[in-house]
PDB file of all heavy atoms in Angstrom:
ATOM      1  N   ARG A 245      46.529 -13.825 -17.346  1.00 97.00           N
ATOM      2  CA  ARG A 245      46.233 -12.549 -17.961  1.00 97.00           C
ATOM      3  C   ARG A 245      44.897 -12.019 -17.488  1.00 97.00           C
ATOM      4  O   ARG A 245      44.743 -10.845 -17.156  1.00 97.00           O
ATOM      5  CB  ARG A 245      46.252 -12.659 -19.465  1.00 97.00           C
ATOM      6  CG  ARG A 245      47.595 -12.430 -20.114  1.00 97.00           C
ATOM      7  CD  ARG A 245      47.524 -12.640 -21.608  1.00 97.00           C
ATOM      8  NE  ARG A 245      46.630 -11.730 -22.285  1.00 97.00           N
ATOM      9  CZ  ARG A 245      45.964 -12.000 -23.445  1.00 97.00           C
ATOM     10  NH1 ARG A 245      46.087 -13.153 -23.978  1.00 97.00           N
ATOM     11  NH2 ARG A 245      45.194 -11.100 -23.981  1.00 97.00           N
ATOM     12  N   ILE A 246      43.893 -12.906 -17.491  1.00 97.00           N
ATOM     13  CA  ILE A 246      42.527 -12.465 -17.141  1.00 97.00           C
ATOM     14  C   ILE A 246      42.469 -12.112 -15.644  1.00 97.00           C
ATOM     15  O   ILE A 246      41.882 -11.112 -15.228  1.00 97.00           O
ATOM     16  CB  ILE A 246      41.510 -13.548 -17.510  1.00 97.00           C
ATOM     17  CG1 ILE A 246      41.481 -13.801 -18.992  1.00 97.00           C
ATOM     18  CG2 ILE A 246      40.101 -13.167 -17.013  1.00 97.00           C
ATOM     19  CD1 ILE A 246      40.526 -14.888 -19.458  1.00 97.00           C
ATOM     20  N   TRP A 247      43.152 -12.915 -14.851  1.00 96.00           N
ATOM     21  CA  TRP A 247      43.230 -12.700 -13.417  1.00 96.00           C
ATOM     22  C   TRP A 247      43.759 -11.277 -13.083  1.00 96.00           C
ATOM     23  O   TRP A 247      43.262 -10.531 -12.289  1.00 96.00           O
ATOM     24  CB  TRP A 247      44.102 -13.778 -12.759  1.00 96.00           C
ATOM     25  CG  TRP A 247      44.369 -13.630 -11.303  1.00 96.00           C
ATOM     26  CD1 TRP A 247      45.488 -13.136 -10.720  1.00 96.00           C
ATOM     27  CD2 TRP A 247      43.465 -13.964 -10.249  1.00 96.00           C
ATOM     28  NE1 TRP A 247      45.365 -13.160  -9.352  1.00 96.00           N
ATOM     29  CE2 TRP A 247      44.129 -13.675  -9.021  1.00 96.00           C
ATOM     30  CE3 TRP A 247      42.203 -14.532 -10.195  1.00 96.00           C
ATOM     31  CZ2 TRP A 247      43.542 -13.882  -7.774  1.00 96.00           C
ATOM     32  CZ3 TRP A 247      41.596 -14.774  -8.968  1.00 96.00           C
ATOM     33  CH2 TRP A 247      42.286 -14.417  -7.749  1.00 96.00           C
ATOM     34  N   GLU A 248      44.867 -10.976 -13.836  1.00 95.00           N
ATOM     35  CA  GLU A 248      45.512  -9.674 -13.642  1.00 95.00           C
ATOM     36  C   GLU A 248      44.566  -8.540 -14.034  1.00 95.00           C
ATOM     37  O   GLU A 248      44.433  -7.555 -13.316  1.00 95.00           O
ATOM     38  CB  GLU A 248      46.757  -9.664 -14.569  1.00 95.00           C
ATOM     39  CG  GLU A 248      47.821  -8.682 -14.132  1.00 95.00           C
ATOM     40  CD  GLU A 248      49.057  -8.810 -15.035  1.00 95.00           C
ATOM     41  OE1 GLU A 248      49.582  -9.941 -15.143  1.00 95.00           O
ATOM     42  OE2 GLU A 248      49.423  -7.841 -15.668  1.00 95.00           O
ATOM     43  N   GLU A 249      43.893  -8.679 -15.169  1.00 94.00           N
ATOM     44  CA  GLU A 249      42.957  -7.637 -15.626  1.00 94.00           C
ATOM     45  C   GLU A 249      41.819  -7.445 -14.628  1.00 94.00           C
ATOM     46  O   GLU A 249      41.418  -6.318 -14.346  1.00 94.00           O
ATOM     47  CB  GLU A 249      42.357  -8.005 -17.009  1.00 94.00           C
ATOM     48  CG  GLU A 249      43.250  -7.700 -18.181  1.00 94.00           C
ATOM     49  CD  GLU A 249      43.845  -6.312 -18.168  1.00 94.00           C
ATOM     50  OE1 GLU A 249      43.069  -5.341 -17.993  1.00 94.00           O
ATOM     51  OE2 GLU A 249      45.061  -6.157 -18.292  1.00 94.00           O
ATOM     52  N   LEU A 250      41.297  -8.583 -14.136  1.00 91.00           N
ATOM     53  CA  LEU A 250      40.165  -8.497 -13.163  1.00 91.00           C
ATOM     54  C   LEU A 250      40.643  -7.745 -11.903  1.00 91.00           C
ATOM     55  O   LEU A 250      39.882  -6.937 -11.373  1.00 91.00           O
ATOM     56  CB  LEU A 250      39.746  -9.917 -12.752  1.00 91.00           C
ATOM     57  CG  LEU A 250      38.503 -10.446 -13.443  1.00 91.00           C
ATOM     58  CD1 LEU A 250      38.278 -11.906 -13.038  1.00 91.00           C
ATOM     59  CD2 LEU A 250      37.223  -9.640 -13.081  1.00 91.00           C
ATOM     60  N   ASN A 251      41.819  -8.034 -11.445  1.00 89.00           N
ATOM     61  CA  ASN A 251      42.339  -7.360 -10.283  1.00 89.00           C
ATOM     62  C   ASN A 251      42.531  -5.860 -10.494  1.00 89.00           C
ATOM     63  O   ASN A 251      42.223  -5.051  -9.629  1.00 89.00           O
ATOM     64  CB  ASN A 251      43.723  -7.955  -9.877  1.00 89.00           C
ATOM     65  CG  ASN A 251      43.520  -9.189  -9.044  1.00 89.00           C
ATOM     66  OD1 ASN A 251      42.494  -9.343  -8.348  1.00 89.00           O
ATOM     67  ND2 ASN A 251      44.429 -10.140  -9.133  1.00 89.00           N
ATOM     68  N   LYS A 252      43.015  -5.527 -11.717  1.00 88.00           N
ATOM     69  CA  LYS A 252      43.168  -4.109 -12.047  1.00 88.00           C
ATOM     70  C   LYS A 252      41.812  -3.412 -12.016  1.00 88.00           C
ATOM     71  O   LYS A 252      41.707  -2.302 -11.503  1.00 88.00           O
ATOM     72  CB  LYS A 252      43.741  -3.960 -13.461  1.00 88.00           C
ATOM     73  CG  LYS A 252      45.260  -3.956 -13.503  1.00 88.00           C
ATOM     74  CD  LYS A 252      45.733  -3.491 -14.877  1.00 88.00           C
ATOM     75  CE  LYS A 252      46.866  -4.327 -15.388  1.00 88.00           C
ATOM     76  NZ  LYS A 252      47.030  -4.306 -16.839  1.00 88.00           N
ATOM     77  N   LEU A 253      40.793  -4.086 -12.595  1.00 84.00           N
ATOM     78  CA  LEU A 253      39.463  -3.475 -12.640  1.00 84.00           C
ATOM     79  C   LEU A 253      38.934  -3.225 -11.223  1.00 84.00           C
ATOM     80  O   LEU A 253      38.287  -2.237 -10.932  1.00 84.00           O
ATOM     81  CB  LEU A 253      38.480  -4.385 -13.351  1.00 84.00           C
ATOM     82  CG  LEU A 253      38.645  -4.530 -14.843  1.00 84.00           C
ATOM     83  CD1 LEU A 253      37.582  -5.491 -15.382  1.00 84.00           C
ATOM     84  CD2 LEU A 253      38.492  -3.174 -15.501  1.00 84.00           C
ATOM     85  N   GLU A 254      39.186  -4.199 -10.320  1.00 78.00           N
ATOM     86  CA  GLU A 254      38.692  -4.049  -8.953  1.00 78.00           C
ATOM     87  C   GLU A 254      39.380  -2.943  -8.171  1.00 78.00           C
ATOM     88  O   GLU A 254      38.821  -2.363  -7.277  1.00 78.00           O
ATOM     89  CB  GLU A 254      38.790  -5.379  -8.215  1.00 78.00           C
ATOM     90  CG  GLU A 254      37.582  -6.255  -8.526  1.00 78.00           C
ATOM     91  CD  GLU A 254      37.776  -7.696  -8.167  1.00 78.00           C
ATOM     92  OE1 GLU A 254      38.693  -8.004  -7.397  1.00 78.00           O
ATOM     93  OE2 GLU A 254      36.995  -8.541  -8.644  1.00 78.00           O
ATOM     94  N   LYS A 255      40.625  -2.638  -8.566  1.00 73.00           N
ATOM     95  CA  LYS A 255      41.389  -1.610  -7.872  1.00 73.00           C
ATOM     96  C   LYS A 255      40.974  -0.204  -8.286  1.00 73.00           C
ATOM     97  O   LYS A 255      41.123   0.743  -7.543  1.00 73.00           O
ATOM     98  CB  LYS A 255      42.891  -1.813  -8.125  1.00 73.00           C
ATOM     99  CG  LYS A 255      43.518  -2.747  -7.126  1.00 73.00           C
ATOM    100  CD  LYS A 255      45.009  -2.832  -7.282  1.00 73.00           C
ATOM    101  CE  LYS A 255      45.505  -4.181  -6.824  1.00 73.00           C
ATOM    102  NZ  LYS A 255      46.466  -4.771  -7.758  1.00 73.00           N
ATOM    103  N   LYS A 256      40.472  -0.106  -9.572  1.00 67.00           N
ATOM    104  CA  LYS A 256      40.097   1.254 -10.052  1.00 67.00           C
ATOM    105  C   LYS A 256      38.907   1.778  -9.249  1.00 67.00           C
ATOM    106  O   LYS A 256      37.907   1.088  -9.043  1.00 67.00           O
ATOM    107  CB  LYS A 256      39.696   1.160 -11.543  1.00 67.00           C
ATOM    108  CG  LYS A 256      40.890   1.214 -12.451  1.00 67.00           C
ATOM    109  CD  LYS A 256      40.439   1.256 -13.889  1.00 67.00           C
ATOM    110  CE  LYS A 256      41.607   0.999 -14.787  1.00 67.00           C
ATOM    111  NZ  LYS A 256      41.225   0.442 -16.064  1.00 67.00           N
TER     112      LYS A 256
END
Side-chain angles (χ1 to χ4, degrees):
R245 270 177 63 208
I246 298 177
W247 176 260
E248 204 175 303
E249 280 310 311
L250 259 174
N251 278 330
K252 271 194 224 158
L253 289 180
E254 276 165 16
K255 272 186 208 134
K256 276 186 194 154

